[in-house]
Amino acid sequence: MEEVSIWHVTEETGHVDPEVLDGWSARPPHSLTGEQEIGLYQPPENWQGAAHPTKTLSAAGFYAVEFVIGRESAQHQDILVKYRGIGYFKAADIERLSPGQWWVDGKVMNRTQFREHTADVC
C-alpha cells in the first residue's frame, strides 16, 4: 500500500466543527503489504501526512476512503498505480458496526465474509 485518503463529502454550509472529521491523506514511510489496520480519525503514526485529530463523524453527507497499491517512482516521487480502491459510507453505517465487523459494498460483513468477498472482486 502506498497511500490512504479519507474525506468528507457534503454541501458547503460555512460551518466548521473542529471535532468532526473533514479528511486526511497520508503515505507510509515504506511500501506496506498484508493486512493493515487504519483508523478513521487521523493518519497512522509515522505516516507522511497531516490531519487535525478529530473525535466524530458528520451525520451530513457521506465519507469516502481511497487506497492506492503500487510503488513510488524513483524519478518523480509519484505513485505508479497498480490498483486503486474506493469505498463510500455514512456515519450511521459505521456507528452501527460491532467490533470485528466491516462495512463493505453497502452491507455488514465479518472477517471471513470480507475475505471471501475480496477474493471474488479483486
Side-chain angles (χ1 to χ4, degrees), residues 36-77:
Q36 303 294 319
E37 185 172 321
I38 297 170
L40 284 176
Y41 298 108
Q42 62 185 27
E45 194 173 316
N46 300 325
W47 282 36
Q48 301 162 357
H52 177 75
T54 59
K55 297 179 182 175
T56 189
L57 298 174
S58 173
F62 63 93
Y63 286 87
V65 59
E66 180 180 25
F67 63 91
V68 176
I69 296 174
R71 63 181 172 82
E72 193 171 49
S73 165
Q75 297 173 343
H76 303 291
Q77 300 296 323

Side-chain angles (χ1 to χ4, degrees), residues 3 7-8 12 14 27 32-33 40 45 49 57 65 76 82 92 97 104 106 109 114 116 121:
E3 184 173 16
W7 66 93
H8 183 219
E12 293 296 323
R27 293 182 177 184
L32 298 174
T33 59
L40 284 176
E45 194 173 316
L57 298 174
V65 59
H76 303 291
K82 290 185 178 179
L97 295 176
V104 183
M109 296 184 184
F114 174 73
E116 290 171 357
V121 298

